Amino acid sequence: MSKNMLLQRHCYSSASRLLLRKSSSSSSSRAPKRALPGIHRIILIRHGESLGNIDERAYGETADWRIPLTNRGREQARVAGKKVASLIMPSDINANTAEGTRSNNIFFYVSPYLRTRQTLREILHEIPSDQILGIREDPRISEQQFGNFQSHHTMQDNKASRTNFGRFFYRFPEGGESGFDVYNRVSGFIGTLKRDSAEYYNDDEAQQEDSTTICIVTHGLSLRLFLMRWFQYSVHEFERSYNPKNAAVVVLERDPGGWFELSPVDRIAMGFPSYQEQERFRLMHDYSLLDK
């Protein structure tokens, strides 16, 4: 058989397979798979007030990952726990409705740092144990690495340099990370969320009832970079954003279209733009933004 005939047969075979796949997909009654089947809500929580938040000299004596909460931080975490409980537990008014029983299970992911673990411990005091599907520690949602034991004066100088250079790309010296590094590991964590959800839930059943809340107990910068990755905010939009307050409860709810939407109150508090005002859409009509 000639080379031309082999090529024609290959092209015909490939085209046939493509048409078959298109025909098969168009005749299927299944809706396309969506992100995080079975998940109704994502909650992101920054740890409560820590010793390092009130005295940065603590980082020179104690390893960052061993910095504990203050008493006030524990109280803040309890308040956060009450808010989480109010979101996942049906009220007396709607307890017997489909909406009231919809999202009463919760799965926790937590940074391995002591302050986030202690925050989670206080939160768990407010959540009925029979509603907790699981608890998993994940180092990829830990704090940005600033180096090991940190000299207070050196750290102040480094943070001033970061402000001038840009928070996303500035890399802390002596083994530290940039915001870009944290973004990359948070991106990997989001991939794990999607795999966990897909493995736990059957997609057809999940679309009938989104019944689970995911709660992620993390750090201010990691929380913002999670949102940056999830909603595809630009580097410029990240640079204009702010950390949420200690023990802030940031909520993403699934809307009727199947997408997750950031609470407007939380979005405004952190300085992120609305969906319609995101740079990725404005670029389509204003190329001059690429010069900034």
Side-chain angles (χ1 to χ4, degrees):
M1 186 179 295
S2 70
K3 185 180 294 185
N4 286 338
M5 290 180 65
L6 284 172
L7 182 60
Q8 289 174 3
R9 176 174 292 184
H10 172 73
C11 292
Y12 177 80
S13 177
S14 298
S16 298
R17 287 196 296 269
L18 180 60
L19 287 171
L20 192 60
R21 283 199 298 269
K22 286 185 176 180
S23 173
S24 173
S25 63
S26 63
S27 63
S28 174
S29 61
R30 292 184 61 187
K33 289 189 176 182
R34 55 187 182 165
L36 303 184
I39 307 304
H40 174 60
R41 178 187 299 110
I42 301 172
I43 297 175
L44 299 159
I45 301 179
R46 184 187 176 192
H47 61 81
E49 179 187 81
S50 72
L51 185 60
N53 291 137
I54 62 173
D55 185 0
E56 291 190 345
R57 290 173 296 184
Y59 297 113
E61 303 171 356
T62 305
D64 192 0
W65 69 282
R66 289 175 172 158
I67 295 286
L69 292 182
T70 62
N71 289 335
R72 182 168 182 261
R74 288 184 179 274
E75 292 171 3
Q76 291 172 334
R78 278 293 184 106
V79 172
K82 292 180 188 296
K83 182 171 183 179
V84 172
S86 72
L87 289 169
I88 68 169
M89 294 194 298
S91 66
D92 293 337
I93 296 176
N94 63 5
N96 296 319
T97 68
E99 184 67 24
T101 58
R102 184 182 193 185
S103 53
N104 56 358
N105 294 321
I106 188 165
F107 192 100
F108 289 96
Y109 293 89
V110 62
S111 157
Y113 277 46
L114 179 59
R115 54 187 178 272
T116 44
R117 291 166 62 93
Q118 288 180 333
T119 298
L120 176 57
R121 181 182 180 186
E122 298 302 323
I123 291 170
L124 293 174
H125 284 299
E126 306 298 330
I127 311 296
S129 59
D130 61 350
Q131 292 183 255
I132 300 172
L133 292 178
I135 301 170
R136 183 182 303 172
E137 178 182 282
D138 197 308
R140 292 172 295 179
I141 54 174
S142 63
E143 179 64 286
Q144 181 178 12
Q145 303 300 291
F146 300 110
N148 295 324
F149 293 103
Q150 303 157 22
S151 161
H152 177 64
H153 295 296
T154 300
M155 185 54 60
Q156 292 299 104
D157 291 341
N158 289 341
K159 288 185 175 181
S161 297
R162 178 179 64 174
T163 300
N164 294 329
F165 189 90
R167 296 178 65 91
F168 188 76
F169 289 114
Y170 178 81
R171 183 183 303 281
F172 281 88
E174 299 181 7
E177 285 183 305
S178 65
F180 185 29
D181 295 326
V182 182
Y183 176 89
N184 284 334
R185 55 179 166 87
V186 167
S187 296
F189 170 73
I190 288 175
T192 296
L193 280 186
K194 293 179 178 180
R195 287 191 297 274
D196 286 349
S197 174
E199 290 175 3
Y200 191 85
Y201 290 99
N202 177 282
D203 193 56
D204 292 332
E205 295 176 358
Q207 293 197 35
Q208 299 297 321
E209 181 180 5
D210 299 315
S211 59
T212 297
T213 292
I214 289 175
C215 184
I216 302 166
V217 185
T218 182
H219 307 260
L221 184 76
S222 301
L223 189 156
R224 283 191 292 140
L225 289 167
F226 179 100
L227 295 175
M228 178 185 175
R229 178 65 181 86
W230 190 273
F231 292 109
Q232 301 175 38
Y233 293 125
S234 70
V235 170
H236 290 289
E237 288 165 338
F238 169 79
E239 292 286 348
R240 294 192 292 267
S241 69
Y242 308 93
N243 279 348
K245 295 180 179 179
N246 288 117
V249 178
V250 176
V251 181
L252 285 67
E253 295 271 3
R254 192 187 290 278
D255 66 20
W259 302 98
F260 286 94
E261 184 174 352
L262 178 61
S263 158
V265 173
D266 295 327
R267 177 180 58 76
I268 293 170
M270 288 183 285
F272 285 117
S274 65
Y275 180 77
Q276 295 83 357
E277 292 299 316
Q278 281 187 239
E279 186 175 293
R280 61 188 173 117
F281 300 126
R282 292 190 293 121
L283 277 172
M284 300 297 294
H285 308 286
D286 185 2
Y287 297 161
S288 69
L289 292 171
L290 294 170
D291 284 327
K292 298 179 181 179

